[in-house]
Amino acid sequence: MTTSNLTRKKTSMKRRSLHEEISDHLRSMIIEGELPEGDRIDESALCEQLEISRTPLREALKVLHSEGLVSIEPNRGARVAVLTPEEFAELFELIGGLERMAAELAALRATDSELKKLAQMQSRLESLYSEGDRHNYFELNQDIHRMIIAMSRNSTLTSLHEQLLMRASRGRYMAIGTEDRWEESVQEHQALLDALKAKDSEKAGEIMLEHVRHTGDCAVNALKQKKAV
């Protein structure tokens, strides 16, 4: 862990709950591979360099533990959780079903203002892709998926999806690691937006399912290659 990585969000920590900011900071490091799976979380180093006590740090680790990103062992501390290719495959299979249903419902229930906002987000997504900005692209991509879920107007679906989203985040980030898949993902997002605008529920669901399947396949393959090294 470098000092710059540990301190990059230090200023913003004064404006939000401290453990929320620490959670965001560590989550990004895990998702983007700065903290590799299986690595021990060095609490002393984090506390010293972020100038915080162990209490908010441990609260943040509990949040990440609940999201499946961190494992906590008594008397051994916290480590970045390890997911097998099989677990990733199961996770994306489940998320694909949920997001397909959400897209089908969103096509019927989304308002014009929501679709306009989604179109603006798509435009920004394409700009970030053109700029090669994977970090901000990924964050916006997550927001787009959350918005489509919210547009379904199904609170139970939304709650269940949120529980799974963070666990799948590492896989979604890994999936855009290849240029071909990244470009394909942008195109799939545009096709989905077109189906939502047309209020074509069946087509929106099919596009979303294929989008998640492609992402899951790429994530599983990337993880297998990583473990083979």
Side-chain angles (χ1 to χ4, degrees):
M1 279 185 249
T2 65
T3 301
S4 60
N5 284 337
L6 292 167
T7 58
R8 64 186 176 185
K9 289 190 177 181
K10 188 172 175 181
T11 302
S12 64
M13 286 183 183
K14 297 176 182 178
R15 295 193 294 270
R16 292 180 62 203
S17 163
L18 192 57
H19 85 267
E20 289 178 334
E21 287 291 349
I22 298 168
S23 298
D24 289 348
H25 178 66
L26 295 180
R27 187 183 296 112
S28 291
M29 293 180 72
I30 291 170
I31 290 171
E32 297 180 19
E34 293 180 54
L35 281 176
E37 61 176 21
D39 270 21
R40 185 174 71 85
I41 306 294
D42 191 334
E43 292 186 16
S44 296
L46 286 170
C47 288
E48 181 179 349
Q49 296 187 51
L50 291 175
E51 299 178 4
I52 58 174
S53 68
R54 285 182 182 266
T55 298
L57 175 60
R58 287 179 173 173
E59 287 299 315
L61 291 174
K62 288 179 183 178
V63 171
L64 298 181
H65 176 65
S66 71
E67 296 174 355
L69 294 177
V70 164
S71 60
I72 299 177
E73 302 176 8
N75 303 317
R76 291 190 175 185
R79 289 183 180 275
V80 179
V82 177
L83 280 177
T84 67
E86 292 75 21
E87 287 170 328
F88 258 141
E90 290 181 358
L91 185 58
F92 277 97
E93 187 175 61
L94 179 54
I95 290 175
L98 289 175
E99 294 198 357
R100 176 180 188 170
M101 181 181 292
E104 290 173 346
L105 294 173
L108 302 175
R109 299 174 179 176
T111 65
D112 289 343
S113 61
E114 286 174 328
L115 291 172
K116 181 178 179 180
K117 181 179 179 181
L118 196 63
Q120 293 170 341
M121 295 170 79
Q122 174 67 22
S123 179
R124 175 60 178 155
L125 195 76
E126 293 172 4
S127 295
L128 291 170
Y129 165 71
S130 297
E131 295 165 8
D133 187 344
R134 275 188 171 83
H135 175 79
N136 286 310
Y137 175 96
F138 175 77
E139 294 295 332
L140 181 57
N141 177 70
Q142 293 283 83
D143 289 342
I144 287 174
H145 279 264
R146 280 194 177 97
M147 183 170 181
I148 293 171
I149 296 295
M151 284 159 51
S152 74
R153 304 286 194 277
N154 187 308
S155 59
T156 302
L157 191 158
T158 300
S159 177
L160 182 56
H161 179 265
E162 190 62 29
Q163 293 176 37
L164 300 172
L165 184 63
M166 289 306 171
R167 291 188 64 197
S169 294
R170 264 188 293 171
R172 276 195 153 135
Y173 191 84
M174 291 167 66
I176 61 170
T178 62
E179 195 67 30
D180 288 346
R181 174 55 195 156
W182 195 4
E183 181 179 5
E184 183 182 50
S185 180
V186 174
Q187 294 170 351
E188 289 168 353
H189 270 273
Q190 182 59 58
L192 177 58
L193 175 62
D194 291 342
L196 291 171
K197 285 182 174 180
K199 300 190 182 301
D200 189 333
S201 178
E202 183 177 356
K203 187 174 182 180
E206 290 173 354
I207 292 171
M208 178 64 93
L209 181 60
E210 285 304 301
H211 173 65
V212 177
R213 279 178 177 169
H214 292 160
T215 300
D217 289 345
C218 286
V220 169
N221 290 335
L223 189 59
K224 285 180 178 178
Q225 290 174 10
K226 183 178 179 182
K227 290 183 179 296
V229 174

